Amino acid sequence: MKRIGLKASCVVGFDGQRHVLWRDGEVVFEGSRILFVGRDYPGPVDQWIDYGNALIGPGFIDLDALGDLDSTVLTLDNGDERAMGRMWSEDYLAAGPRESYTADEEVFKYRYAFTQLIRNGITTAMPITSMYYREWAETYDEFAAVAGIAGELGLRTYLGPCYMSGMGYWRADGSLGHHWDEARGMAGLEAAARFFYDFDGAQGGLIRGALLPDRIQTCTPALLQRTAALSRELNAPMRLHCCQGLGEVAMVEQLRGVSPLAWLQQLDLLTPRSLLPHGLYTQGDDDLQRVVDGGASLVHCPVVFARDGEALNSFGRYRAKGINFALGTDTWPADLLENIRQGLNIARLMEGGNSLTGTLDLYNAATLGGAKALGRDDLGRLAPGAKADITVFSLRGLHLGPLFDPLKNLVLAGRGDDCIASYIDGRCVMQDGQVQGVDYPALQRQAQRQFEKLMRSHSERAFAQPDWKSLFQPAIPFADDYSAQVPLSTIDPLP
């Protein structure tokens, strides 16, 4: 194994308690482990790489990582989701749901998404995709292929097929219905357990298993109880989306008689293994105390909710209660710097000041908080013995302005593609902004073709199956007939 040394004008080290900044610092690693962080390494090094004016830091940890060709962007200024086919209609359910993508296309979306995650400085990901365009949920075979892609690209991932026992749909009268299939949910859990046994620790430890039920409102008590038991048996992380909408809260209170977090507590699903996106709609301090008492972590995804005028109230208040935060991208772009920036601004708006939430609090959530949520003391930090998951962010960009503080400059004006190099488990997976082995133009062309196919599929799920083009309104109206426009998939996005 070669001993590699990295140098830069700024290095984020870890002193055992907190991140610390080294000027003109060095990071030395051998194989998958870091040997040294600081200045003037005294031992031999096989290769030095000097990145100059840059920030070397720990890789970001994204625990609600966009693993899709994101569909939430289609809701931007396009009216009610009920009318645009992003939820099932009663007619679509009666006709029988079907897959919108082929099996190869399902796997491709992960290749595209994982490339984007690496491109944005994310080294550990627990992906999330939408289920509304699926026949049901994800499959074992699909995720066996996904694990192969993660290993090929070198991304550290926590994987498992999503499973569920129900799906909401809209009735013709505008009311919300719920379709349940308990047997299918249990079969999905069995597939997730099989995947865990077969793939946990694969690709030299880059692949770890996880239990990923869909959402609290699409899972029956029996499915969640079995999930809790399996999480204990396997010591497996479990992620469950909850407290993300008023409709979800009302449904759980109607069906279970308690708040979503109180119900999870009853089911023994508030534990140190529990990762809970998004936690916006909680029922007072009692709910927050349930999270603290159980040792669960919240996965904060500020950008996706801000687009609809929703926000956590608030990051600083929850954190002051003792809740551990991780971060997630959830939506396009797959940029945790953008979520740190917007998360900071949104928190201060919700808190009416700047005293509760600081820049470092969000950065910690993207690094140390994510590691704690996974039960890992070897991730989210640069320190001897930690995994060599290392990112390099250029500080040379004109858009960053005059340098006064590397992290603050990046949070105020940076973007994910300021990441110019990434090492995961000691392997260089990106250099000079190029993810190893990926043809960017070809990747983007395939994504464009496939995304247009997804847009077309919306017509099938909407009532009366309108022309799909009528479901997506441009921000600026077309001057001529939209239906006569050249298909987007014929336009090369990267000439």
Side-chain angles (χ1 to χ4, degrees):
M1 293 184 292
K2 292 179 65 175
R3 185 170 296 180
I4 306 296
L6 310 180
K7 297 181 180 182
S9 60
C10 303
V11 170
V12 177
F14 184 73
D15 68 2
Q17 299 293 325
R18 60 180 182 171
H19 291 309
V20 293
L21 192 64
W22 288 90
R23 297 186 185 94
D24 297 320
E26 301 168 354
V27 179
V28 179
F29 61 93
E30 187 174 77
S32 67
R33 295 286 176 178
I34 294 172
L35 301 178
F36 174 86
V37 180
R39 194 181 300 118
D40 300 325
Y41 178 65
V45 172
D46 295 303
Q47 180 185 9
W48 282 103
I49 303 172
D50 191 343
Y51 288 102
N53 191 17
L55 178 70
I56 296 176
F60 287 146
I61 298 172
D62 186 344
L63 297 185
D64 208 40
L66 177 62
D68 217 333
L69 303 181
D70 184 32
S71 59
T72 62
V73 295
L74 296 175
T75 67
L76 187 66
D77 297 340
N78 272 323
D80 195 328
E81 288 189 16
R82 290 175 295 184
M84 63 173 294
R86 200 171 181 274
M87 291 189 67
W88 292 3
S89 69
E90 189 173 29
D91 292 343
Y92 178 74
L93 176 62
R98 69 180 188 85
E99 298 285 0
S100 299
Y101 291 148
T102 66
D104 287 345
E105 288 169 337
E106 286 292 348
V107 174
F108 169 81
K109 73 186 184 187
Y110 281 98
R111 180 178 296 279
Y112 183 82
F114 287 177
T115 299
Q116 296 287 352
L117 294 171
I118 293 171
R119 185 70 190 85
N120 284 274
I122 293 159
T123 58
T124 298
M126 184 180 281
I128 177 70
T129 69
S130 295
M131 294 297 109
Y132 78 95
Y133 61 78
R134 306 296 305 264
E135 179 187 356
W136 192 248
E138 294 165 334
T139 69
Y140 173 94
D141 289 341
E142 177 184 335
F143 265 74
V146 171
I149 291 172
E152 175 190 334
L153 294 174
L155 182 65
R156 190 181 302 280
T157 50
Y158 280 75
L159 297 177
C162 173
Y163 54 91
M164 60 190 188
S165 43
M167 177 64 88
Y169 66 93
W170 290 109
R171 300 188 180 98
D173 63 5
S175 62
L176 181 64
H178 298 281
H179 169 69
W180 299 104
D181 191 334
E182 183 78 277
R184 209 165 190 179
M186 290 300 181
L189 177 60
E190 290 175 7
R194 178 185 167 204
F195 180 88
F196 189 98
Y197 286 122
D198 290 350
F199 285 92
D200 185 51
Q203 300 289 343
L206 276 180
I207 309 299
R208 298 295 299 272
L211 300 178
L212 306 175
D214 180 41
R215 289 165 289 163
I216 190 172
Q217 70 267 39
T218 61
C219 296
T220 60
L223 186 64
L224 291 179
Q225 286 170 335
R226 291 278 293 275
T227 296
L230 190 59
S231 177
R232 287 193 302 271
E233 176 188 333
L234 300 176
N235 193 29
M238 186 283 310
R239 186 185 65 195
L240 180 65
H241 290 66
C242 68
C243 307
Q244 63 178 326
L246 291 173
E248 169 218 310
V249 173
M251 176 189 170
V252 173
E253 288 181 336
Q254 178 184 7
L255 293 178
R256 317 304 174 199
V258 292
S259 72
L261 287 173
W263 190 41
L264 293 184
Q265 185 181 49
Q266 292 177 11
L267 294 170
D268 195 26
L269 277 171
L270 295 182
T271 77
R273 298 180 302 277
S274 301
L275 291 75
L276 309 175
H278 299 275
L280 270 71
Y281 294 98
T282 57
Q283 308 301 298
D285 288 345
D286 287 347
D287 261 359
L288 299 186
Q289 194 60 48
R290 290 183 175 98
V291 177
V292 174
D293 292 344
S297 296
L298 293 185
V299 184
H300 185 36
C301 307
V303 169
V304 68
F305 284 96
R307 286 181 185 156
D308 288 329
E310 297 175 284
L312 186 74
N313 190 19
S314 65
F315 183 92
R317 185 169 68 86
Y318 282 35
R319 186 173 161 272
K321 293 286 185 182
I323 291 176
N324 180 58
F325 272 109
L327 286 189
T329 49
D330 192 280
T331 187
W332 183 263
D335 185 346
L336 273 187
L337 267 184
E338 176 71 6
N339 279 272
I340 290 173
R341 173 168 46 250
Q342 292 206 36
L344 177 65
N345 293 338
I346 291 165
R348 289 180 169 183
L349 283 170
M350 300 302 292
E351 292 156 11
N354 60 11
S355 61
L356 275 181
T357 302
T359 305
L360 184 58
D361 297 326
L362 273 298
Y363 183 77
N364 283 341
T367 53
L368 299 172
K372 181 178 180 181
L374 294 172
R376 300 284 298 263
D377 60 6
D378 59 348
L379 299 179
R381 70 210 69 197
L382 300 186
K387 285 290 189 179
D389 289 9
I390 305 164
T391 54
V392 184
F393 279 83
S394 172
L395 299 175
R396 297 187 294 269
L398 185 65
H399 61 280
L400 292 174
L403 183 65
F404 67 98
D405 177 297
L407 182 58
K408 290 179 182 177
N409 276 83
L410 284 170
V411 170
L412 285 173
R415 51 186 184 246
D417 65 4
D418 287 316
C419 187
I420 56 173
S422 182
Y423 299 80
I424 303 177
D425 216 41
R427 170 187 170 188
C428 182
V429 299
M430 181 176 70
Q431 193 68 270
D432 298 323
Q434 176 64 53
V435 177
Q436 305 291 349
V438 178
D439 181 338
Y440 284 2
L443 191 79
Q444 189 72 354
R445 284 193 293 270
Q446 173 62 23
Q448 187 66 57
R449 289 191 293 268
Q450 194 164 313
F451 198 67
E452 188 169 312
K453 184 176 182 180
L454 174 65
M455 293 174 71
R456 290 177 182 276
S457 77
H458 276 240
S459 175
E460 302 173 0
R461 290 180 294 274
F463 279 109
Q465 297 187 344
D467 185 334
W468 70 275
K469 295 187 184 73
S470 70
L471 300 175
F472 307 107
Q473 303 303 316
I476 299 175
F478 285 100
D480 50 8
D481 182 8
Y482 181 26
S483 63
Q485 297 302 305
V486 175
L488 294 175
S489 59
T490 65
I491 301 172
D492 190 342
L494 290 174

